[in-house]
Every structure is written in structure tokens, then in C-alpha cells.
Amino acid sequence: MNNQEIQNFLYDEVLVDAYGPEEQLISWFYFAEEELKFPFTAEVAVKKTNGTTESKKVVVEELVGFDGTVAHPAGLKVEIAIGENLIEKPLSSLNKVEDLGRNQKIIEA
């Protein structure tokens, strides 16, 4: 399957019974909660105190919610561990997801 076929499949699977933006958000949340395999590692851009940005490898601990405005997987939020700190980031901010491929496909949808 190419990326467009994967995206179409995921949308058909997730949104088949969702009517309106609120139901779509909830559908994406429950789908991601069931299908993403936590914890997993990824990279995320982190802004440093000197104003520069660096890519940092993090552990993605769990799905924690959604921003309430985007009826798309990009609106989902995850909790990530950076050192001893846990912070929330948009799912769409993750790069180089390390897994068997399924998590990356869901995140890119």
C-alpha cells in the first residue's frame, strides 16, 4: 500500500460512523488509544534557552487527549518524557518514530 492508500484506509476505518468534528475527534482519540503501542520512542524538536532548536530522542508515554479544534490525528496530544519531566506535545510534532511501522503510519495519517 502506498501512503495515500494507507491514509484512505485509516480514514475509512476511523471515521465511518463519525458525524461532525466532535465525533471525529473522539473517533481519532479512541482509534489511536487502541492502535498505538505505548511506550515508544520518537524525536521531537526542543527549543533551548539560548533560542536554538535541537532534535531530542524522547519516550512517548501515553495518549492524553486532544486540543479540541482539529478533527484529525494532528489534534491528538501525547505525554512524553524528557529526562525526569513529563510534558504534553501534539502527536503531529513527533518525528522518526521508532517501532515496527504501524505507529508511524497512524501518526502520518
Side-chain angles (χ1 to χ4, degrees):
M1 289 174 111
N2 65 34
N3 284 343
Q4 185 61 47
E5 291 171 331
I6 292 167
Q7 187 174 16
N8 290 342
F9 170 78
L10 287 172
Y11 274 81
D12 290 344
E13 184 176 332
V14 174
L15 302 177
V16 67
D17 293 325
Y19 303 99
E22 288 180 4
E23 287 185 17
Q24 290 174 0
L25 276 171
I26 292 167
S27 293
W28 276 117
F29 179 84
Y30 286 124
F31 174 78
E33 186 176 55
E34 290 175 14
E35 298 296 327
L36 291 174
K37 307 301 180 211
F38 292 96
F40 60 89
T41 59
E43 289 186 9
V44 66
V46 177
K47 189 171 185 178
K48 298 172 74 173
T49 56
N50 66 6
T52 62
T53 302
E54 72 177 2
S55 185
K56 192 154 188 85
K57 187 178 249 185
V58 297
V59 175
V60 182
E61 299 287 344
E62 66 180 332
L63 191 64
V64 294
F66 45 84
D67 72 8
T69 60
V70 182
H72 184 274
L76 298 173
K77 292 183 178 182
V78 291
E79 185 174 75
I80 63 173
I82 299 179
E84 295 183 13
N85 301 306
L86 295 174
I87 61 170
E88 288 183 11
K89 292 287 271 182
L91 185 65
S92 60
S93 69
L94 303 178
N95 299 306
K96 297 184 183 176
V97 175
E98 294 181 7
D99 72 344
L100 300 175
R102 183 154 172 85
N103 282 359
Q104 184 70 41
K105 289 175 184 159
I106 292 169
I107 292 168
E108 290 176 350

